[in-house]
Amino acid sequence: MTEALKDIVLDFEAAALRAVANGGKRPYVERAKKRADDKLRALKAGADADLLEAIFAAAIEIETKSKMALEAAT
């Protein structure tokens, strides 16, 4: 995974954890996921096969962590 992808995942994790720590507001978790998804989409343009695979892996990781954060928020 590239540094840019790692940064996107880490930024999402930090935002999701903040949302859960601050009362678990569902819209905050969803907004953090949307921002991460938008950043991944921007990287996707012109990506080679290896980068696309890494982008999809990051997207799966973000989706999984998003579900966990939403469960903790409810």
Side-chain angles (χ1 to χ4, degrees):
M1 193 177 293
T2 69
E3 287 302 314
L5 290 174
K6 288 179 187 175
D7 289 343
I8 292 170
V9 172
L10 289 175
D11 288 347
F12 167 75
E13 289 174 352
L17 287 172
R18 270 193 309 275
V20 171
N22 290 325
K25 303 285 193 250
R26 182 179 192 93
Y28 297 137
V29 175
E30 291 170 347
R31 189 175 314 132
K33 182 181 178 302
K34 182 177 179 346
R35 277 194 307 266
D37 288 344
D38 290 345
K39 291 177 184 178
L40 290 176
R41 278 190 204 92
L43 284 177
K44 197 168 75 169
D48 63 10
D50 290 336
L51 182 55
L52 281 175
E53 185 177 338
I55 290 170
F56 289 129
I60 291 168
E61 185 175 344
I62 289 169
E63 178 66 25
T64 301
K65 291 178 179 180
S66 174
K67 288 179 182 177
M68 291 171 21
L70 289 172
E71 286 177 15
T74 56

